Every structure is written in structure tokens, then in C-alpha cells.
Amino acid sequence: MSKKIQAIRGMNDLLPDQSPLWQYFEDQVRTLMRRYGYREIRTPIVEQTALFKRSIGEVTDIVEKEMYTFDDRNGDSLTLRPEGTAACVRAAMEHGLLHNQTQRLWYQGPMFRHERPQKGRYRQFHQVGIEAYGLDGPDIDAEVILLSARLWKQLGLDAHVTLELNSLGSPEARTAYRDTLVAYFERHHELLDEDSRRRLSSNPLRILDSKNPDMAEMLADAPQLLDHLDEASREHFEALKARLDAAGIAYRINPRLVRGLDYYSRTVFEWTTTALGSQGTVCAGGRYDGLVEQLGGKPTPAVGFALGVERLILLLETLELIPAESQRGPDAYLLAMGERAEREALLLGEQLRDALPGLSLQVHCGGGGFKSQIKKADRSGARLALILGEDELEQGQLTIKYLREEREQETLDQATAIDRLGERLD
RNA sequence: GUGGAUGUAGCUCAGUGGUAGAGCCCCGGAUUGUGGCUCCGGUGGUCGUGGGUUCGAUCCCCAUCAUCCACCCCA
């Protein structure tokens, strides 16, 4: 038994070496959303358990065995959100955002699922998601995909991800197909492996995905989802494909692509990569026209996606696509020699920050020899060392030493030094 | 939830049934006010945790916790 208190399994600390990369990613997302006219919504990370049961589906893995559920002090059953869509719908309905209007929303934040952690899969993980409400045409499906495609391009990932596309049809068509499929599997019950027999009741569409070679022949002859679409869904799907073609977005039709959450209908898609091992999906989404009504609202078409931040960060690291400027240190490091100068340094630091709002300045604290201070200036990653020694203090001067370029250091009046610093910024 | 691998210094890892090692990092010195290279010296470990076997366990055994990988599932 370990007595040390440590982080909860599958929940990670984000350390300072890592946070610049996250901030870079988040900045990219934020500007992208603004460019497409999506507005941010923030909801609590805890909701009533019933919200997730009713939206995600009672018999899904998430609801059956992965939710962090606990009783509030008053006896209510609460759950840490396992995904973002349900809460987004709840909040939008609760505040009348869906009343007679369309909405384009995005969100970002931690999600919680009690799964066995592995590469790219954690118990607390982060998603960025978008949700568009009140629009039922293929144009908005296409926009959502175009937005995601632009993000990959911005991040330099476009050559490393693949778009997979499918349509589940209307809920009626999907249910009918599901029955047809189950009937087919039951006729071949003796060919099903143990896993597939279990899925027969929980998620029969998943059986199509089985890698078991003994079942390959039987699966090849199974009825195809795309052959059982209702007419309206088929037209919708064709129109979406046409728009993607026109925009030059490549995709692969994957008839076996089904999503794990019950609320999807019609369009479903996934962006996948082969660079992350077995957790290859970096972004997934689709249309969920029935969800708002299912949660007690008026019938409202909706489409969206969620992307896994940890997976994308991992992908950026794996492919070495981390921009250098996201890792840089302060502009300058101010060090001081001598007791009086050390006292002055803090004040001088404030004056510099007053004069140069764009300046990132680290002031040395903790004393130490000159050599060690210079060393720390270097290690901080700063481009400039600012030296306030006894000589400079006497003369009201400051020495600027260039740590990253071949250039003589210069000792200037403090006012001149501030001007020089201003020139060196940006 | 199932299977496999791994836990030794802040990090990456050697190692042996008989008192614990390297490299990097950090600190100091060679150079009373000038970093990166070099050289010298130093700090730092209840060998994941608990139990068992043993004269003696970091090493062998059991349990437990954690990490990683895969299955499953998914972002």
C-alpha cells in the first residue's frame, strides 16, 4: 500500500514544459471558431445522471460501465460528464437558445470516463467540440467537416489524417436495418464468435467491424447499411458528398462506421490517423437530429463533432509539428550584482514593464555569483541578459548582453536601454 | 473488465542473495563582473508499497498500487 498521495489513475498533470503546446493548440482552435462564427459555451462538468442515460443510451458502454457517478448530499445522482453534447443541448434548451433560431456553438474542457488507461486514452481527457442547431441540410454537415479540415491544415496535420464517412439513415431506417442485420446474424448464429454473440443484443452493427477471419465470409454477405437508407437520407448523403468533392476534401466511405453513442442519425464521420497506435480516432461526429426532442425539446436538427485534445497533442509531438515559438523563454533576464543593485533590480524590472507592455522579463532572485546568474539567464531561454552591476548602478546605466546572437554587449543609460529593448522586441 | 511488460537518484537507465552505480540535470570551483565547450569536486535513493522465505532481500515468492502496450471501447 502506497502512502504517497498521487494523482488519480488515468488523470494527468499538465506540466509547464507541456502547457505551451496546449496553449498553442487552444489558440488555433479559438481563432478558427471565431473565423467560422461559432461561439463558445461553457457548462458545468457535473450533470444529473439521467441526462447522460437519456442522451447517450442506456445500453452503451459509456453509460453501463464508464461513468463517474455519485450521490450528491441530497441524494441526487450526479455524473462527471463523459462527453459534451448532452450538456450542450441541455444548456441550450434551458436558456432558450434553440427557440426559433439556429445556433453555432463550440465548447472545450475535461471529460471523464472510467476506462483502462492506455496510449491516447485517459480517464480525464479533453475534448473540443462544436454543435450546430436548427439546420437540417447537408450544407451544415459539410461546413462542420470543412472546419475540422481547416484545423488539420493549420496544424500541419492534413497529410496525416483520413476522413471516413458514412450515413446511418433516419432512426426508422436504422432500426429497420438493425432488425434485418440481427435476423441475418441469427440465421448464422453458429458462425458468430463469443464477442459477436454478446454484441448481438448490445451493438449488432459493431459485429460488422470484427477482425475475426473465420467470420469474414459471412460478414461480406451481410446486408449493407447503405443499401437500407431511406430516400431522404440517401439524398442528404449524396448532397454532402458532392459538397465535399467540390471543396476538394478527400474521404473514404466506410459502411462499417457506426458511432458508439445512440443519438446519431444520418451523417457520421471520423478523422483517423495511423500514427497513434490503437487509438486512431482524433475527431468524430455526425448528425443527431433526434436528441433535442429526446431530451424534451422541440424537434431540432443538429450536427457536430468532438475531437480529443490529448490525441492531437500526441500526434503533433509524434510528427514533430511543434512550432518553435511556442517553446521560447522570456525576452530578457535581469540580473544584479551587489546588495544595492539586487534591491534596485526589482524596481528596475517594474519600470521596464511599465515602459514596455510587450516585454516578457524575468528578474533574477536569490542572489548568487555573477557567473551563476549569467548561467541562469542562459538556461531561462531569454534572448537578452540585462546586467545591473555596481558600476551600472553608479552611472544610472544598464548593460544589455545578447545571448543568442553574435553582437557586442552594450552599456547604456537606462532611458536609452529601454529604447533599445523596445527595438529588440516583437 | 481481460492479457502482457515494467517500477532503482529530478530525468534516462545499468546492477548484485552480503552495507547502492553511470550519464544527463542541479550546485560549487578552475575564471573577485560574463553563459554555451572542457576539466575537477559536490548535493541527491526508506531500490513503488506491504508481507513472506532467508543469518541476511533492491535481487527469490505472494499481494497491492502505478505506468506502458494490446484486447474491449472510444475522443
Side-chain angles (χ1 to χ4, degrees), chain A residues 77-228:
Chain A
S77 180
L78 306 183
T79 293
L80 263 42
R81 61 181 184 195
E83 57 97 49
T85 298
C88 190
V89 169
R90 194 227 83 226
M93 279 170 41
E94 189 166 328
H95 298 96
L97 268 49
L98 305 183
H99 187 75
N100 263 348
Q101 57 193 312
T102 64
Q103 285 288 349
R104 284 179 170 88
L105 304 175
W106 73 279
Y107 62 83
Q108 163 198 41
M111 307 294 165
F112 303 84
R113 292 183 199 170
H114 192 103
E115 298 181 276
R116 188 86 170 253
Q118 79 186 65
K119 186 176 188 177
R121 191 173 79 180
Y122 311 101
R123 290 186 172 177
Q124 175 176 329
F125 62 102
H126 295 76
Q127 287 187 334
V128 167
I130 73 174
E131 316 283 358
Y133 299 103
L135 296 160
D136 60 5
D139 48 356
I140 188 68
D141 299 35
E143 177 181 278
V144 160
I145 291 172
L146 288 172
L147 183 154
S148 57
R150 185 177 292 275
L151 181 60
W152 314 144
K153 192 154 196 180
Q154 277 180 201
L155 295 170
L157 291 174
D158 45 327
H160 305 277
V161 292
T162 306
L163 175 61
E164 303 197 20
L165 199 60
N166 194 20
S167 175
L168 300 177
S170 68
E172 297 75 30
R174 184 187 181 188
T175 306
Y177 168 72
R178 186 182 155 122
D179 292 346
T180 308
L181 190 64
V182 169
Y184 174 83
F185 285 142
E186 269 166 359
R187 260 180 280 136
H188 299 85
H189 198 265
E190 73 286 353
L191 292 175
L192 294 177
D193 58 23
E194 195 185 334
D195 243 16
S196 300
R197 287 178 188 175
R198 185 175 52 75
R199 286 174 181 157
L200 203 51
S201 55
S202 62
N203 198 345
L205 275 62
R206 274 268 164 216
I207 298 176
L208 293 169
D209 237 344
S210 171
K211 291 148 199 152
N212 187 342
D214 296 340
M215 291 168 44
E217 198 177 326
M218 185 269 292
L219 290 178
D221 290 337
Q224 290 287 306
L225 176 57
L226 285 174
D227 296 332
H228 289 72

Side-chain angles (χ1 to χ4, degrees), chain A residues 47-58 63 67 69 77-79 86 295:
Chain A
E47 296 277 352
Q48 289 186 28
T49 302
L51 174 65
F52 302 117
K53 286 193 173 175
R54 268 158 63 181
S55 58
I56 297 168
E58 295 268 4
V63 170
M67 294 206 301
T69 297
S77 180
L78 306 183
T79 293
L295 291 176

Side-chain angles (χ1 to χ4, degrees), chain A residues 262-417:
Chain A
D262 273 359
Y263 52 62
Y264 285 104
S265 58
R266 290 197 172 170
T267 308
V268 291
F269 65 90
E270 275 186 17
W271 288 96
T272 61
T273 177
T274 53
L276 287 185
S278 70
Q279 308 302 323
T281 303
V282 294
C283 173
R287 185 164 272 284
Y288 48 101
D289 291 340
L291 182 59
V292 174
E293 190 176 10
Q294 199 177 315
L295 291 176
K298 284 197 278 191
T300 306
V303 57
F305 69 65
L307 59 82
V309 179
E310 280 83 355
R311 288 183 188 177
L312 283 162
I313 298 280
L314 215 49
L315 193 52
L316 291 172
E317 288 175 321
T318 303
L319 299 170
E320 295 177 348
L321 292 171
I322 304 167
E325 62 267 26
S326 74
Q327 299 288 354
R328 76 173 173 199
D331 299 317
Y333 189 104
L334 173 59
L335 56 99
M337 280 311 290
E339 212 175 298
R340 270 182 60 223
E342 281 174 28
R343 278 201 304 273
E344 279 305 310
L346 269 182
L347 300 177
L348 178 58
E350 290 305 307
Q351 287 168 26
L352 293 173
R353 295 188 187 100
D354 285 342
L356 301 166
L359 176 71
S360 156
L361 171 70
Q362 186 165 345
V363 175
H364 179 84
C365 289
F370 192 86
K371 188 186 174 75
S372 87
Q373 292 196 35
I374 283 278
K375 205 167 189 169
K376 279 179 174 135
D378 181 41
R379 299 284 159 87
S380 77
R383 288 151 66 207
L384 307 174
L386 307 180
I387 302 166
L388 185 68
E390 278 164 2
D391 298 345
E392 286 87 352
L393 194 60
E394 290 296 320
Q395 310 292 323
Q397 292 177 320
L398 184 64
T399 295
I400 299 179
K401 178 179 169 67
Y402 299 87
L403 296 171
R404 313 285 165 217
E405 54 192 303
E406 292 297 328
R407 184 176 165 135
E408 281 294 299
Q409 70 180 40
E410 33 195 2
T411 300
L412 307 164
D413 289 340
Q414 289 183 0
T416 314

